[in-house]
Amino acid sequence: MKKSTLASLICIALSAGALSGCDFYDEPSTSETITDTTPEPTPDEPTAFVSTTAELIAAIDTAETGDFIGLSTTGDFSNTGTIILDKAITLISADALGNILEVDGDTTTDQAVFTGAVCIDIPTEAVETLNDGNQVRISNIAFENIIMDSCGSGESTSNSIINIGKVGKGKTAVLLDNLTFDGTSFTETTGSSDAWVYSRGLVDLSDSTFTNKSENAQSILYLNCGSSTSRGGSNDDPRGSTFTGNTFSLAGLNSAGVVKAATIGVPSNLGQDNKNCATTFTDNTFENFTYLISETSDPSTALYDVFGDTVLTDNTLVNDLDDTTTPPVTGTTDPKNVDELNAAILAATAGSTITLGAGDDYDFSAGTITIDKAIKLVGEDGALITGTACIDVLDAAVGTEISNITFTEITLDVCGDTSGSSSNSIINIGKVGKDKLGVTLDKLNFDGAEFIEPTGSSDAWIYSRGLVDISDSIFANKSADAQNILYLNCGSSASRGGSNSDPRGSIFSNNTFALAEFNASGMTKAATIGVPSNLGQEDKNCATTFTANTFTNFSALISTTEDNSTALYDVFGDTTESENILESTPTEEPVLPLNVAEINAAIVAAESGATITLGAGDQYDYSSGVITIDKAIKLVGQEGATISGNTCIDVVDGAAGAEISNITFANDAIALCGTTDDAKEAVINIQKVGEDEMPIILTDLTFNTTLITSQDQIENKGAWIRSYGFINLTNSSFTTQDSGLQNDLVKLTCSSSKGKMGTLIDGNLFSIAGADAKETAAIKIGDSSSGAIKDADNENNCNVTVSNNTFTGYTFDIVNSVGSSGARDAAIFARLESESTNQFPGNTFN
């Protein structure tokens, strides 16, 4: 903003008396050129004369470029809804005889009146029509008792009475002149960008009166200068909107009010290239505002000049105050507790700074701190929020900043409006984010060492339904039992800056997110980014950015699935990350069980998802006993870990999703495995276990069958793996089966519904030696009788896929009968694909 020193001095000198013509910006230099178009001369009679809404809509539909539509001053234009002006025509008042009433100088005339639910939309789509001097004009019309609502369509929508889209190409402005807006009985919305006139394009407004603006609704004019059309279609040679000879008046003087005569620019666009407005205000009068212009959203300032490039000339500020030279520096308050803090927030105006004090005199340990406007909540060094206190940022608090506060010894509970915008959190952010301006959190410190927090999947230290930027903050000592530090619910477009077509997601930079200790099997996240149940739905994504953050004690940085110990659960897969650091240092090596008894003790003590590791070496003896798995743990071997002797693994009810991997089985006996009624002869006995998408995972296993040389070592024709449940067996090897022994490497029984859930055997190696006459198989699916798989429901509906395996040395490849004499060994002994639900693709038989 360039201020004229001389003009400022003159205004100060006049401050003791009536203020007139105080303007603080230089007039445009003589080198500047503003290109104006000459409006169509006004005829005495209109092209069409209308007295009702229906006649008006019909006349607009049939109008051609240059037409004038006269609106009768005695007509009824109530509740017209949306009037679309997408061609270069003029709406103007006409008397009862059909003569156009044009204002000449100070002459006043009667006016046609719009009332009720009405808006006039000049849509972006008309940009190719409204240029080269072809202008829309609205002249000498009044607006009374208006009910404001959404006006326009798509990206060019606003809550307004006149909505102007991205028109202005060729420096052709929309013309508004001699209009009258009386807000006495308006019903209007209160959003930060809602306005009587909202423009994304080029508009020239002159000789109009805006009176009785409510102090509860924010702007008379809102100029969104994000498009070059607002600068006449040119960034290099801009021609901004002009406002001449108008009166902008509040209903009453309110020195603390947030209402503006004009918000000139979108605050969130500040600092971006080609987003300026370049407007000119000349010879306007501003009544009941305290200050004329400011580059910040100061209370009671007529013009909020976001980009500081507005030019003022000969404007008048009318009020009863003595000093209106500059907006004051916003003061701070000194609340001592949550109740006093809420009172300070309630009394504050948008843009105010409220300081959170530090020391024994301050107690912010109980209650909800509610922020309902764009304040700055700044802590003194050492400022603390503790106990059951939380911060609830409401939807209207666009532009709120919270900084330099520490959170310790927190008890998390419900924060926010329980009707739908609440969460179990410390900071709960509503649907804040319109015009790409959200909530800023900076230099916050969360120490979770003594937090008491719930463990729900969406509970979090910070929960946001809107746009939030977090920087230079520390989140430390997060418990491995509670799920999220951040939870981003992106169901609202507010989380994308208010736009689905041009999203601007939340930004996280230079923060530290740290678990209290390393936990490779934990479900805790630095951030859950998106709501998992929204995956696949339109306009629910987050579009977040994580830059230069540090993640400590997580195993992996980012995943699109909810993997254990992953810092960022990126539900929609649209997160952008760069320059982030993953610091993962386990605090100590796990203690490995020495024998089967210790394995079972470890399983009893473990939570679902835990990993229990079997050791490799002479000190580990896993040669006797039954290992019982009754929960979804991972039983993993170090390289070379071996189960031997008659030891077996019994997988029982409750273990759906369990995993057994990287173990060698070198048994010299196959014994009865388990203590329940479903105990069976096997090395791995899978009982009736499994749930949808939760099979028992068997992977990277090695079975050395060569130590069993006699049928006496196999109880009741036992199998190496016997399953009545739902399993996935992958990447494992079985060497080398003896054709002289009656036993199977893998035996599947489908009498249980769990055994029909889609078992997969894929990518394994099976081999056999000899050519004896024993009935045996690498994989047997179902029960047999007299050397043939039974033709029965249980055998025909096993739903097993055997794929991409390699079988070496077997007499038969895939058969449903091995006969009663001769060599009777088969690679796959099962009902055939043509007669069952089984599938056998991609296998190799050598």
Side-chain angles (χ1 to χ4, degrees):
M1 181 197 303
K2 293 183 179 179
K3 293 187 178 181
S4 167
T5 303
L6 178 60
S8 298
L9 292 173
I10 291 171
C11 287
I12 293 171
L14 292 174
S15 64
L19 291 176
S20 177
C22 287
D23 88 63
F24 303 103
Y25 286 28
D26 287 331
E27 296 186 17
S29 69
T30 55
S31 62
E32 293 183 32
T33 301
I34 295 179
T35 303
D36 289 307
T37 52
T38 302
E40 191 77 16
T42 304
D44 294 331
E45 296 181 359
T47 311
F49 176 61
V50 299
S51 298
T52 66
T53 294
E55 291 176 356
L56 173 60
I57 300 301
I60 292 171
D61 285 344
T62 58
E64 297 180 355
T65 298
D67 282 0
F68 282 71
I69 298 176
L71 281 68
S72 173
T73 56
T74 60
D76 180 6
F77 303 104
S78 59
N79 298 312
T80 59
T82 300
I83 299 169
I84 299 176
L85 300 182
D86 57 1
K87 56 188 76 172
I89 60 176
T90 296
L91 301 187
I92 192 167
S93 292
D95 63 21
L97 300 176
N99 299 307
I100 285 179
L101 298 173
E102 185 174 32
V103 178
D104 182 15
D106 295 329
T107 303
T108 59
T109 68
D110 291 335
Q111 292 180 310
V113 180
F114 283 113
T115 62
V118 60
C119 81
I120 300 175
D121 180 36
I122 297 99
T124 294
E125 291 74 15
V127 68
E128 297 304 326
T129 302
L130 304 178
N131 60 62
D132 295 330
N134 294 312
Q135 296 175 286
V136 165
R137 181 184 175 199
I138 305 171
S139 177
N140 198 29
I141 293 174
F143 298 83
E144 300 175 359
N145 301 312
I146 295 294
I147 300 172
M148 281 174 59
D149 204 343
S150 179
C151 187
S153 61
E155 292 183 33
S156 295
T157 303
S158 64
N159 289 330
S160 59
I161 303 171
I162 298 178
N163 178 64
I164 301 170
K166 297 175 183 177
V167 295
K169 198 173 177 181
K171 301 184 179 179
T172 301
V174 171
L175 299 180
L176 308 178
D177 66 274
N178 296 289
L179 304 180
T180 301
F181 292 77
D182 183 356
T184 303
S185 299
F186 279 12
T187 302
E188 50 184 316
T189 49
T190 58
S192 59
S193 62
D194 302 340
W196 291 357
V197 177
Y198 185 107
S199 178
R200 290 177 171 84
L202 189 64
V203 56
D204 290 348
L205 172 65
S206 62
D207 302 313
S208 296
T209 303
F210 302 82
T211 60
N212 295 309
K213 173 67 174 177
S214 167
E215 66 183 53
N216 297 317
Q218 292 220 1
S219 297
I220 295 174
L221 311 177
Y222 192 98
L223 307 181
N224 179 335
C225 306
S227 164
S228 64
T229 55
S230 68
R231 296 175 292 280
S234 173
N235 294 319
D236 297 329
D237 180 24
R239 185 283 218 208
S241 297
T242 63
F243 304 89
T244 307
N246 305 289
T247 296
F248 302 92
S249 179
L250 297 182
L253 179 65
N254 181 1
S255 60
V258 298
V259 182
K260 309 300 177 195
T263 297
I264 309 166
V266 180
S268 62
N269 288 344
L270 184 61
Q272 299 179 28
D273 290 339
N274 297 326
K275 297 290 186 180
N276 59 308
C277 291
T279 58
T280 301
F281 282 78
T282 303
D283 196 27
N284 300 281
T285 299
F286 300 90
E287 297 180 351
N288 288 331
F289 296 92
T290 307
Y291 312 103
L292 181 60
I293 190 165
S294 173
E295 289 181 13
T296 56
S297 185
D298 297 300
S300 196
T301 298
L303 301 178
Y304 175 15
D305 181 24
V306 173
F307 302 105
D309 66 340
T310 297
V311 176
L312 301 183
T313 305
D314 297 328
N315 296 287
T316 303
L317 182 66
V318 178
N319 58 41
D320 296 324
L321 301 178
D322 292 334
D323 185 4
T324 58
T325 54
T326 58
V329 177
T330 305
T332 61
T333 61
D334 189 31
K336 296 295 194 297
N337 54 48
V338 170
D339 288 342
E340 291 183 6
L341 177 56
N342 280 328
I345 295 170
L346 184 64
T349 57
S352 298
T353 296
I354 299 176
T355 301
L356 213 63
D360 295 339
D361 292 339
Y362 300 91
D363 179 12
F364 303 103
S365 63
T368 299
I369 300 164
T370 303
I371 299 177
D372 61 352
K373 57 180 70 78
I375 64 159
K376 298 179 181 179
L377 183 61
V378 180
E380 292 181 349
D381 288 344
L384 295 176
I385 290 179
T386 63
T388 58
C390 75
I391 300 175
D392 184 29
V393 184
L394 304 186
D395 295 357
V398 177
T400 288
E401 299 179 21
I402 304 171
S403 64
N404 203 40
I405 299 171
T406 294
F407 300 82
T408 64
E409 300 180 23
I410 295 287
T411 300
L412 273 80
D413 204 342
V414 176
C415 188
D417 180 1
T418 56
S419 66
S421 293
S422 63
S423 63
N424 289 329
S425 60
I426 304 170
I427 299 179
N428 178 63
I429 299 170
K431 296 174 182 177
V432 183
K434 194 172 183 181
D435 294 324
K436 300 183 180 178
L437 184 64
V439 175
T440 298
L441 306 181
D442 180 58
K443 296 181 176 67
L444 303 183
N445 187 351
F446 294 76
D447 183 357
E450 297 184 54
F451 282 9
I452 300 172
E453 49 184 318
T455 58
S457 59
S458 64
D459 301 336
W461 292 358
I462 297 175
Y463 185 107
S464 179
R465 290 177 172 84
L467 190 65
V468 56
D469 294 344
I470 304 178
S471 61
D472 300 307
S473 296
I474 296 173
F475 303 84
N477 294 311
K478 174 68 176 178
S479 166
D481 297 322
Q483 290 218 353
N484 298 290
I485 295 174
L486 310 178
Y487 191 96
L488 307 181
N489 179 333
C490 305
S492 165
S493 65
S495 68
R496 295 174 293 282
S499 174
N500 292 319
S501 58
D502 180 25
R504 186 286 225 201
S506 297
I507 299 173
F508 307 90
S509 57
N510 299 303
N511 304 291
T512 296
F513 301 91
L515 298 180
E517 58 185 5
F518 183 80
N519 182 1
S521 62
M523 297 301 294
T524 306
K525 309 299 176 195
T528 295
I529 310 165
V531 180
S533 62
N534 287 345
L535 185 61
Q537 300 178 30
E538 291 185 359
D539 297 332
K540 300 290 184 180
N541 60 305
C542 292
T544 57
T545 301
F546 282 79
T547 305
N549 302 281
T550 299
F551 301 90
T552 300
N553 286 333
F554 297 91
S555 294
L557 179 61
I558 191 167
S559 175
T560 56
T561 56
E562 194 176 11
D563 299 315
N564 292 350
S565 195
T566 297
L568 303 178
Y569 175 16
D570 181 23
V571 173
F572 297 97
D574 66 340
T575 296
T576 300
E577 68 88 10
S578 62
E579 302 178 28
N580 296 291
I581 299 171
L582 182 66
E583 295 180 345
S584 303
T585 306
T587 55
E588 60 183 39
E589 290 295 322
V591 176
L592 307 181
L594 293 172
N595 51 47
V596 169
E598 290 188 6
I599 295 173
N600 284 326
I603 294 172
V604 169
E607 299 287 340
S608 291
T611 297
I612 296 170
T613 303
L614 305 190
D618 294 340
Q619 70 270 41
Y620 303 102
D621 181 8
Y622 310 127
S623 64
S624 179
V626 178
I627 299 169
T628 303
I629 298 178
D630 61 356
K631 60 192 67 169
I633 57 107
K634 295 181 180 180
L635 189 65
V636 179
Q638 288 185 333
E639 196 64 37
T642 301
I643 288 175
S644 61
N646 64 2
T647 297
C648 68
I649 301 175
D650 190 26
V651 182
V652 302
D653 188 41
E659 179 178 321
I660 303 169
S661 64
N662 202 43
I663 299 171
T664 294
F665 295 86
N667 295 64
D668 59 14
I670 299 177
L672 183 69
C673 189
T675 58
T676 68
D677 291 343
D678 289 323
K680 295 295 179 183
E681 302 80 8
V683 174
I684 300 178
N685 179 47
I686 311 292
Q687 296 194 19
K688 299 169 185 175
V689 180
E691 303 295 340
D692 286 339
E693 300 183 3
M694 295 180 65
I696 305 301
I697 302 296
L698 308 176
T699 188
D700 295 308
L701 304 178
T702 299
F703 294 83
N704 177 8
T705 71
T706 60
L707 298 180
I708 296 181
T709 60
S710 168
Q711 197 72 44
D712 293 338
Q713 295 170 273
I714 307 172
E715 187 168 345
N716 196 25
K717 306 174 186 176
W720 286 83
I721 297 175
R722 177 155 189 160
S723 176
Y724 283 76
F726 178 24
I727 70 170
N728 281 3
L729 171 62
T730 60
N731 200 37
S732 297
S733 65
F734 299 77
T735 58
T736 299
Q737 189 175 12
D738 188 340
S739 66
L741 302 177
Q742 188 167 2
N743 80 311
D744 302 308
L745 298 180
V746 180
K747 171 68 168 71
L748 307 179
T749 300
C750 312
S751 56
S752 164
S753 61
K754 305 293 187 182
K756 298 183 176 70
M757 296 185 73
T759 283
L760 172 68
I761 302 175
D762 183 85
N764 306 287
L765 302 175
F766 301 89
S767 64
I768 194 169
D772 296 282
K774 295 292 185 180
E775 178 187 313
T776 191
I779 301 170
K780 183 178 181 180
I781 305 173
D783 293 331
S784 63
S785 177
S786 301
I789 300 294
K790 295 177 181 178
D791 182 4
D793 180 71
N794 283 340
E795 284 68 27
N796 290 330
N797 293 284
C798 289
N799 195 27
V800 174
T801 298
V802 180
S803 55
N804 305 308
N805 302 283
T806 298
F807 301 90
T808 301
Y810 291 90
T811 301
F812 299 103
D813 296 342
I814 305 172
V815 293
N816 59 14
S817 174
V818 293
S820 57
S821 62
R824 303 174 66 211
D825 57 279
I828 302 173
F829 187 22
R831 297 293 290 173
L832 304 180
E833 287 182 309
S834 61
E835 58 195 14
S836 71
T837 58
N838 298 325
Q839 299 182 59
F840 309 125
N843 297 291
T844 300
F845 304 95
N846 299 318

